[in-house]
Amino acid sequence: KDSPQAQDDLTRLLYQTYASQKAFGDKAEMMGYRDGMFQMILAEFPFWRIRDAFIQHVRRKADLPTPSDIYNQLDPAPEPLSAAYYI
C-alpha cells in the first residue's frame, strides 16, 4: 500500500534483488526509474504479498523481475476458455 514504510521496504527489496540476480545490461543508475515503476504498478497490494511474489520469482528465475512479472503473480489473468467449453 502507500505507506512510507511499505514504499521503503519495496525499495530495499528491489535493491536486494538487483544485487543478487542477473541484470543483463542494466545499469545501477536505472534502479531509481525501476523503483518508481514498481511502486506505481504494485501500489494496490500489501507489502507482504509483494515480498512473497519476489521470493517466488527469485526461487525460479535468475533474471530480474519486471513489474508485470510480479503483478501477474499477485493477480493472474484468467485462463482463456478452451474449445471444449463451447461444445
Side-chain angles (χ1 to χ4, degrees):
K1 299 282 183 186
D2 280 335
S3 78
Q5 181 61 47
Q7 290 175 354
D8 289 347
D9 289 343
L10 179 54
T11 298
R12 197 168 18 268
L13 179 64
L14 286 170
Y15 279 91
Q16 288 171 340
T17 304
Y18 183 84
S20 66
Q21 300 296 97
K22 292 180 183 176
F24 301 103
D26 282 352
K27 299 197 181 326
E29 59 267 14
M30 295 302 292
M31 279 306 296
Y33 297 112
R34 183 182 297 265
D35 181 41
M37 184 59 69
F38 273 97
Q39 297 285 349
M40 180 175 62
I41 299 299
L42 303 177
E44 67 189 83
F45 300 103
F47 177 71
W48 67 268
R49 289 196 58 212
I50 296 168
R51 184 192 60 230
D52 289 350
F54 265 85
I55 290 168
Q56 291 305 312
H57 181 90
V58 170
R59 284 181 178 162
R60 292 182 169 88
K61 299 182 180 185
D63 58 335
L64 288 169
T66 64
S68 62
D69 290 333
I70 301 302
Y71 189 92
N72 286 326
Q73 284 187 10
L74 296 169
D75 186 22
E79 293 192 24
L81 299 175
S82 69
Y85 176 82
Y86 295 104
I87 297 176

